mmCIF file of all heavy atoms in Angstrom:
data_model
loop_
_atom_site.group_PDB
_atom_site.id
_atom_site.type_symbol
_atom_site.label_atom_id
_atom_site.label_comp_id
_atom_site.label_asym_id
_atom_site.label_seq_id
_atom_site.Cartn_x
_atom_site.Cartn_y
_atom_site.Cartn_z
ATOM 1 N N VAL A 253 7.668 108.820 -53.641
ATOM 2 C CA VAL A 253 7.221 109.719 -52.564
ATOM 3 C C VAL A 253 8.096 110.975 -52.441
ATOM 4 O O VAL A 253 7.842 111.820 -51.585
ATOM 5 C CB VAL A 253 7.142 108.991 -51.187
ATOM 6 C CG1 VAL A 253 6.130 107.856 -51.242
ATOM 7 C CG2 VAL A 253 8.509 108.461 -50.749
ATOM 8 N N ARG A 254 9.120 111.110 -53.297
ATOM 9 C CA ARG A 254 9.921 112.350 -53.246
ATOM 10 C C ARG A 254 9.024 113.526 -53.660
ATOM 11 O O ARG A 254 8.269 113.420 -54.627
ATOM 12 C CB ARG A 254 11.120 112.258 -54.209
ATOM 13 C CG ARG A 254 12.338 111.568 -53.612
ATOM 14 C CD ARG A 254 13.581 111.999 -54.349
ATOM 15 N NE ARG A 254 13.809 113.423 -54.161
ATOM 16 C CZ ARG A 254 14.490 113.943 -53.145
ATOM 17 N NH1 ARG A 254 15.042 113.165 -52.243
ATOM 18 N NH2 ARG A 254 14.645 115.245 -53.043
ATOM 19 N N PRO A 255 9.129 114.675 -52.950
ATOM 20 C CA PRO A 255 8.186 115.776 -53.222
ATOM 21 C C PRO A 255 8.140 116.195 -54.691
ATOM 22 O O PRO A 255 7.048 116.392 -55.242
ATOM 23 C CB PRO A 255 8.728 116.927 -52.356
ATOM 24 C CG PRO A 255 9.656 116.299 -51.384
ATOM 25 C CD PRO A 255 10.073 114.965 -51.882
ATOM 26 N N GLU A 256 9.316 116.280 -55.349
ATOM 27 C CA GLU A 256 9.301 116.775 -56.737
ATOM 28 C C GLU A 256 8.735 115.743 -57.717
ATOM 29 O O GLU A 256 8.462 116.063 -58.875
ATOM 30 C CB GLU A 256 10.702 117.238 -57.175
ATOM 31 C CG GLU A 256 11.726 116.161 -57.443
ATOM 32 C CD GLU A 256 12.418 115.631 -56.176
ATOM 33 O OE1 GLU A 256 11.932 115.912 -55.062
ATOM 34 O OE2 GLU A 256 13.420 114.905 -56.317
ATOM 35 N N LYS A 257 8.573 114.494 -57.264
ATOM 36 C CA LYS A 257 8.033 113.447 -58.152
ATOM 37 C C LYS A 257 6.548 113.178 -57.878
ATOM 38 O O LYS A 257 5.941 112.351 -58.570
ATOM 39 C CB LYS A 257 8.794 112.123 -57.964
ATOM 40 C CG LYS A 257 10.294 112.214 -58.092
ATOM 41 C CD LYS A 257 10.729 112.286 -59.532
ATOM 42 C CE LYS A 257 12.257 112.287 -59.613
ATOM 43 N NZ LYS A 257 12.758 112.881 -60.835
ATOM 44 N N LEU A 258 5.971 113.854 -56.889
ATOM 45 C CA LEU A 258 4.581 113.547 -56.524
ATOM 46 C C LEU A 258 3.590 113.727 -57.681
ATOM 47 O O LEU A 258 2.655 112.938 -57.801
ATOM 48 C CB LEU A 258 4.150 114.368 -55.295
ATOM 49 C CG LEU A 258 4.759 113.877 -53.959
ATOM 50 C CD1 LEU A 258 4.276 114.756 -52.803
ATOM 51 C CD2 LEU A 258 4.415 112.417 -53.683
ATOM 52 N N PRO A 259 3.791 114.734 -58.559
ATOM 53 C CA PRO A 259 2.844 114.833 -59.690
ATOM 54 C C PRO A 259 2.860 113.588 -60.578
ATOM 55 O O PRO A 259 1.845 113.227 -61.178
ATOM 56 C CB PRO A 259 3.353 116.054 -60.474
ATOM 57 C CG PRO A 259 4.116 116.856 -59.464
ATOM 58 C CD PRO A 259 4.734 115.866 -58.527
ATOM 59 N N ILE A 260 4.009 112.898 -60.641
ATOM 60 C CA ILE A 260 4.091 111.678 -61.462
ATOM 61 C C ILE A 260 3.324 110.548 -60.757
ATOM 62 O O ILE A 260 2.596 109.779 -61.383
ATOM 63 C CB ILE A 260 5.574 111.290 -61.691
ATOM 64 C CG1 ILE A 260 6.298 112.430 -62.413
ATOM 65 C CG2 ILE A 260 5.687 109.998 -62.480
ATOM 66 C CD1 ILE A 260 7.781 112.257 -62.522
ATOM 67 N N THR A 261 3.479 110.484 -59.438
ATOM 68 C CA THR A 261 2.745 109.469 -58.665
ATOM 69 C C THR A 261 1.238 109.748 -58.739
ATOM 70 O O THR A 261 0.433 108.832 -58.899
ATOM 71 C CB THR A 261 3.221 109.499 -57.193
ATOM 72 O OG1 THR A 261 4.637 109.448 -57.200
ATOM 73 C CG2 THR A 261 2.679 108.328 -56.407
ATOM 74 N N TYR A 262 0.892 111.044 -58.649
ATOM 75 C CA TYR A 262 -0.514 111.448 -58.769
ATOM 76 C C TYR A 262 -1.073 110.922 -60.101
ATOM 77 O O TYR A 262 -2.181 110.383 -60.160
ATOM 78 C CB TYR A 262 -0.585 112.975 -58.698
ATOM 79 C CG TYR A 262 -1.961 113.562 -58.910
ATOM 80 C CD1 TYR A 262 -2.792 113.861 -57.829
ATOM 81 C CD2 TYR A 262 -2.435 113.820 -60.199
ATOM 82 C CE1 TYR A 262 -4.062 114.394 -58.024
ATOM 83 C CE2 TYR A 262 -3.696 114.350 -60.407
ATOM 84 C CZ TYR A 262 -4.498 114.641 -59.318
ATOM 85 O OH TYR A 262 -5.753 115.165 -59.528
ATOM 86 N N ALA A 263 -0.268 111.065 -61.184
ATOM 87 C CA ALA A 263 -0.735 110.621 -62.503
ATOM 88 C C ALA A 263 -0.920 109.108 -62.535
ATOM 89 O O ALA A 263 -1.769 108.603 -63.268
ATOM 90 C CB ALA A 263 0.253 111.057 -63.584
ATOM 91 N N MET A 264 -0.139 108.362 -61.737
ATOM 92 C CA MET A 264 -0.308 106.908 -61.722
ATOM 93 C C MET A 264 -1.575 106.521 -60.951
ATOM 94 O O MET A 264 -2.090 105.433 -61.100
ATOM 95 C CB MET A 264 0.952 106.249 -61.131
ATOM 96 C CG MET A 264 0.986 104.754 -61.278
ATOM 97 S SD MET A 264 0.501 104.140 -62.911
ATOM 98 C CE MET A 264 2.059 104.058 -63.755
ATOM 99 N N ILE A 265 -2.078 107.452 -60.122
ATOM 100 C CA ILE A 265 -3.327 107.167 -59.399
ATOM 101 C C ILE A 265 -4.527 107.696 -60.197
ATOM 102 O O ILE A 265 -5.485 106.981 -60.462
ATOM 103 C CB ILE A 265 -3.299 107.804 -57.982
ATOM 104 C CG1 ILE A 265 -2.123 107.224 -57.182
ATOM 105 C CG2 ILE A 265 -4.627 107.557 -57.248
ATOM 106 C CD1 ILE A 265 -1.847 107.936 -55.870
ATOM 107 N N PHE A 266 -4.438 108.971 -60.596
ATOM 108 C CA PHE A 266 -5.613 109.605 -61.212
ATOM 109 C C PHE A 266 -5.542 109.683 -62.738
ATOM 110 O O PHE A 266 -6.507 110.065 -63.379
ATOM 111 C CB PHE A 266 -5.809 110.999 -60.617
ATOM 112 C CG PHE A 266 -6.076 110.953 -59.132
ATOM 113 C CD1 PHE A 266 -5.092 111.314 -58.222
ATOM 114 C CD2 PHE A 266 -7.296 110.489 -58.653
ATOM 115 C CE1 PHE A 266 -5.331 111.234 -56.853
ATOM 116 C CE2 PHE A 266 -7.539 110.408 -57.290
ATOM 117 C CZ PHE A 266 -6.554 110.778 -56.374
ATOM 118 N N GLY A 267 -4.388 109.388 -63.321
ATOM 119 C CA GLY A 267 -4.299 109.295 -64.777
ATOM 120 C C GLY A 267 -3.711 110.504 -65.479
ATOM 121 O O GLY A 267 -3.267 110.395 -66.614
ATOM 122 N N SER A 268 -3.694 111.682 -64.806
ATOM 123 C CA SER A 268 -3.221 112.861 -65.539
ATOM 124 C C SER A 268 -2.317 113.727 -64.653
ATOM 125 O O SER A 268 -2.239 113.511 -63.442
ATOM 126 C CB SER A 268 -4.411 113.690 -66.005
ATOM 127 O OG SER A 268 -5.109 114.168 -64.868
ATOM 128 N N MET A 269 -1.637 114.681 -65.300
ATOM 129 C CA MET A 269 -0.799 115.640 -64.568
ATOM 130 C C MET A 269 -1.114 117.050 -65.060
ATOM 131 O O MET A 269 -1.685 117.216 -66.146
ATOM 132 C CB MET A 269 0.686 115.318 -64.742
ATOM 133 C CG MET A 269 1.130 115.245 -66.164
ATOM 134 S SD MET A 269 2.891 114.864 -66.410
ATOM 135 C CE MET A 269 3.337 113.764 -65.143
ATOM 136 N N SER A 270 -0.713 118.059 -64.270
ATOM 137 C CA SER A 270 -1.066 119.423 -64.655
ATOM 138 C C SER A 270 -0.265 119.851 -65.892
ATOM 139 O O SER A 270 0.846 119.369 -66.123
ATOM 140 C CB SER A 270 -0.775 120.382 -63.501
ATOM 141 O OG SER A 270 0.621 120.533 -63.366
ATOM 142 N N ARG A 271 -0.843 120.785 -66.658
ATOM 143 C CA ARG A 271 -0.158 121.316 -67.836
ATOM 144 C C ARG A 271 1.162 121.971 -67.435
ATOM 145 O O ARG A 271 2.165 121.839 -68.128
ATOM 146 C CB ARG A 271 -1.087 122.347 -68.500
ATOM 147 C CG ARG A 271 -0.500 123.038 -69.703
ATOM 148 C CD ARG A 271 -1.535 123.877 -70.391
ATOM 149 N NE ARG A 271 -2.190 124.787 -69.463
ATOM 150 C CZ ARG A 271 -3.397 125.337 -69.680
ATOM 151 N NH1 ARG A 271 -4.048 125.075 -70.767
ATOM 152 N NH2 ARG A 271 -3.923 126.159 -68.792
ATOM 153 N N GLU A 272 1.185 122.651 -66.275
ATOM 154 C CA GLU A 272 2.405 123.347 -65.824
ATOM 155 C C GLU A 272 3.539 122.344 -65.616
ATOM 156 O O GLU A 272 4.667 122.557 -66.047
ATOM 157 C CB GLU A 272 2.152 124.102 -64.501
ATOM 158 C CG GLU A 272 1.221 125.309 -64.607
ATOM 159 C CD GLU A 272 -0.204 124.941 -65.008
ATOM 160 O OE1 GLU A 272 -0.714 123.889 -64.567
ATOM 161 O OE2 GLU A 272 -0.805 125.693 -65.816
ATOM 162 N N PHE A 273 3.209 121.208 -64.966
ATOM 163 C CA PHE A 273 4.243 120.211 -64.706
ATOM 164 C C PHE A 273 4.723 119.596 -66.021
ATOM 165 O O PHE A 273 5.921 119.378 -66.231
ATOM 166 C CB PHE A 273 3.713 119.117 -63.770
ATOM 167 C CG PHE A 273 4.785 118.175 -63.303
ATOM 168 C CD1 PHE A 273 5.665 118.544 -62.292
ATOM 169 C CD2 PHE A 273 4.948 116.926 -63.888
ATOM 170 C CE1 PHE A 273 6.677 117.681 -61.862
ATOM 171 C CE2 PHE A 273 5.945 116.057 -63.465
ATOM 172 C CZ PHE A 273 6.814 116.438 -62.451
ATOM 173 N N TYR A 274 3.790 119.337 -66.913
ATOM 174 C CA TYR A 274 4.139 118.777 -68.226
ATOM 175 C C TYR A 274 5.127 119.692 -68.953
ATOM 176 O O TYR A 274 6.169 119.258 -69.447
ATOM 177 C CB TYR A 274 2.851 118.589 -69.030
ATOM 178 C CG TYR A 274 3.023 118.233 -70.486
ATOM 179 C CD1 TYR A 274 3.426 116.966 -70.871
ATOM 180 C CD2 TYR A 274 2.761 119.181 -71.485
ATOM 181 C CE1 TYR A 274 3.571 116.629 -72.205
ATOM 182 C CE2 TYR A 274 2.896 118.851 -72.826
ATOM 183 C CZ TYR A 274 3.308 117.572 -73.184
ATOM 184 O OH TYR A 274 3.451 117.254 -74.500
ATOM 185 N N LEU A 275 4.810 121.003 -68.970
ATOM 186 C CA LEU A 275 5.673 121.946 -69.700
ATOM 187 C C LEU A 275 7.023 122.130 -69.013
ATOM 188 O O LEU A 275 8.037 122.352 -69.674
ATOM 189 C CB LEU A 275 4.964 123.297 -69.831
ATOM 190 C CG LEU A 275 3.754 123.272 -70.766
ATOM 191 C CD1 LEU A 275 2.961 124.558 -70.654
ATOM 192 C CD2 LEU A 275 4.209 123.033 -72.205
ATOM 193 N N GLN A 276 7.031 122.004 -67.691
ATOM 194 C CA GLN A 276 8.270 122.189 -66.939
ATOM 195 C C GLN A 276 9.231 121.011 -67.144
ATOM 196 O O GLN A 276 10.436 121.185 -67.246
ATOM 197 C CB GLN A 276 7.861 122.309 -65.467
ATOM 198 C CG GLN A 276 8.939 122.404 -64.437
ATOM 199 C CD GLN A 276 8.291 122.209 -63.053
ATOM 200 O OE1 GLN A 276 7.246 122.790 -62.758
ATOM 201 N NE2 GLN A 276 8.897 121.380 -62.227
ATOM 202 N N GLU A 277 8.689 119.798 -67.269
ATOM 203 C CA GLU A 277 9.542 118.595 -67.278
ATOM 204 C C GLU A 277 9.667 117.911 -68.638
ATOM 205 O O GLU A 277 10.632 117.185 -68.861
ATOM 206 C CB GLU A 277 8.987 117.554 -66.300
ATOM 207 C CG GLU A 277 8.986 117.992 -64.850
ATOM 208 C CD GLU A 277 10.388 118.026 -64.258
ATOM 209 O OE1 GLU A 277 11.224 117.175 -64.628
ATOM 210 O OE2 GLU A 277 10.652 118.922 -63.433
ATOM 211 N N TYR A 278 8.683 118.074 -69.522
ATOM 212 C CA TYR A 278 8.659 117.247 -70.730
ATOM 213 C C TYR A 278 8.718 118.098 -71.989
ATOM 214 O O TYR A 278 8.278 119.239 -72.004
ATOM 215 C CB TYR A 278 7.398 116.366 -70.756
ATOM 216 C CG TYR A 278 7.296 115.504 -69.520
ATOM 217 C CD1 TYR A 278 6.537 115.915 -68.420
ATOM 218 C CD2 TYR A 278 7.988 114.304 -69.428
ATOM 219 C CE1 TYR A 278 6.473 115.140 -67.266
ATOM 220 C CE2 TYR A 278 7.931 113.527 -68.282
ATOM 221 C CZ TYR A 278 7.168 113.957 -67.203
ATOM 222 O OH TYR A 278 7.114 113.202 -66.057
ATOM 223 N N ASP A 279 9.257 117.472 -73.040
ATOM 224 C CA ASP A 279 9.356 118.134 -74.329
ATOM 225 C C ASP A 279 8.160 117.676 -75.188
ATOM 226 O O ASP A 279 8.078 116.490 -75.531
ATOM 227 C CB ASP A 279 10.684 117.711 -74.976
ATOM 228 C CG ASP A 279 10.910 118.380 -76.316
ATOM 229 O OD1 ASP A 279 9.913 118.810 -76.938
ATOM 230 O OD2 ASP A 279 12.071 118.468 -76.737
ATOM 231 N N PRO A 280 7.238 118.592 -75.526
ATOM 232 C CA PRO A 280 6.044 118.170 -76.280
ATOM 233 C C PRO A 280 6.378 117.533 -77.630
ATOM 234 O O PRO A 280 5.558 116.816 -78.193
ATOM 235 C CB PRO A 280 5.269 119.476 -76.477
ATOM 236 C CG PRO A 280 5.770 120.376 -75.402
ATOM 237 C CD PRO A 280 7.213 120.010 -75.177
ATOM 238 N N GLU A 281 7.615 117.799 -78.140
ATOM 239 C CA GLU A 281 7.977 117.124 -79.397
ATOM 240 C C GLU A 281 8.429 115.693 -79.139
ATOM 241 O O GLU A 281 8.443 114.857 -80.041
ATOM 242 C CB GLU A 281 9.117 117.874 -80.093
ATOM 243 C CG GLU A 281 8.619 119.100 -80.815
ATOM 244 C CD GLU A 281 9.757 119.906 -81.386
ATOM 245 O OE1 GLU A 281 10.839 119.328 -81.648
ATOM 246 O OE2 GLU A 281 9.580 121.125 -81.540
ATOM 247 N N ARG A 282 8.845 115.407 -77.907
ATOM 248 C CA ARG A 282 9.311 114.049 -77.592
ATOM 249 C C ARG A 282 8.216 113.229 -76.909
ATOM 250 O O ARG A 282 8.168 112.036 -77.072
ATOM 251 C CB ARG A 282 10.559 114.123 -76.713
ATOM 252 C CG ARG A 282 11.704 114.862 -77.408
ATOM 253 C CD ARG A 282 12.975 114.805 -76.607
ATOM 254 N NE ARG A 282 13.481 113.449 -76.528
ATOM 255 C CZ ARG A 282 14.256 113.017 -75.545
ATOM 256 N NH1 ARG A 282 14.612 113.811 -74.569
ATOM 257 N NH2 ARG A 282 14.690 111.775 -75.545
ATOM 258 N N TRP A 283 7.419 113.876 -76.101
ATOM 259 C CA TRP A 283 6.220 113.180 -75.587
ATOM 260 C C TRP A 283 5.038 113.830 -76.300
ATOM 261 O O TRP A 283 4.450 114.790 -75.829
ATOM 262 C CB TRP A 283 6.097 113.320 -74.075
ATOM 263 C CG TRP A 283 4.790 112.770 -73.533
ATOM 264 C CD1 TRP A 283 3.878 111.989 -74.189
ATOM 265 C CD2 TRP A 283 4.248 112.995 -72.220
ATOM 266 N NE1 TRP A 283 2.812 111.698 -73.372
ATOM 267 C CE2 TRP A 283 3.012 112.295 -72.157
ATOM 268 C CE3 TRP A 283 4.686 113.688 -71.100
ATOM 269 C CZ2 TRP A 283 2.213 112.288 -71.022
ATOM 270 C CZ3 TRP A 283 3.888 113.682 -69.974
ATOM 271 C CH2 TRP A 283 2.666 112.985 -69.933
ATOM 272 N N VAL A 284 4.753 113.265 -77.472
ATOM 273 C CA VAL A 284 3.697 113.828 -78.303
ATOM 274 C C VAL A 284 2.368 113.283 -77.795
ATOM 275 O O VAL A 284 2.198 112.076 -77.656
ATOM 276 C CB VAL A 284 3.919 113.446 -79.785
ATOM 277 C CG1 VAL A 284 2.842 114.051 -80.658
ATOM 278 C CG2 VAL A 284 5.296 113.906 -80.236
ATOM 279 N N LEU A 285 1.442 114.198 -77.500
ATOM 280 C CA LEU A 285 0.203 113.731 -76.867
ATOM 281 C C LEU A 285 -0.664 112.885 -77.783
ATOM 282 O O LEU A 285 -1.446 112.094 -77.330
ATOM 283 C CB LEU A 285 -0.583 114.912 -76.309
ATOM 284 C CG LEU A 285 0.107 115.542 -75.103
ATOM 285 C CD1 LEU A 285 -0.696 116.716 -74.585
ATOM 286 C CD2 LEU A 285 0.312 114.539 -73.983
ATOM 287 N N GLU A 286 -0.472 113.030 -79.108
ATOM 288 C CA GLU A 286 -1.260 112.203 -80.029
ATOM 289 C C GLU A 286 -0.623 110.831 -80.230
ATOM 290 O O GLU A 286 -0.704 110.268 -81.290
ATOM 291 C CB GLU A 286 -1.423 112.877 -81.393
ATOM 292 C CG GLU A 286 -2.419 113.996 -81.431
ATOM 293 C CD GLU A 286 -1.783 115.343 -81.094
ATOM 294 O OE1 GLU A 286 -0.610 115.364 -80.663
ATOM 295 O OE2 GLU A 286 -2.451 116.361 -81.262
ATOM 296 N N ALA A 287 0.011 110.277 -79.205
ATOM 297 C CA ALA A 287 0.605 108.942 -79.324
ATOM 298 C C ALA A 287 -0.499 107.901 -79.423
ATOM 299 O O ALA A 287 -1.653 108.191 -79.111
ATOM 300 C CB ALA A 287 1.480 108.667 -78.099
#
Side-chain angles (χ1 to χ4, degrees):
V253 298
R254 275 203 64 88
E256 73 278 14
K257 307 282 184 204
L258 286 180
I260 300 172
T261 310
Y262 176 94
M264 190 45 92
I265 300 170
F266 298 105
S268 63
M269 55 180 35
S270 72
R271 177 172 53 202
E272 291 64 37
F273 189 78
Y274 170 74
L275 291 170
Q276 175 192 315
E277 297 288 325
Y278 303 95
D279 182 338
E281 281 175 25
R282 300 186 66 205
W283 173 12
V284 181
L285 290 180
E286 284 89 351

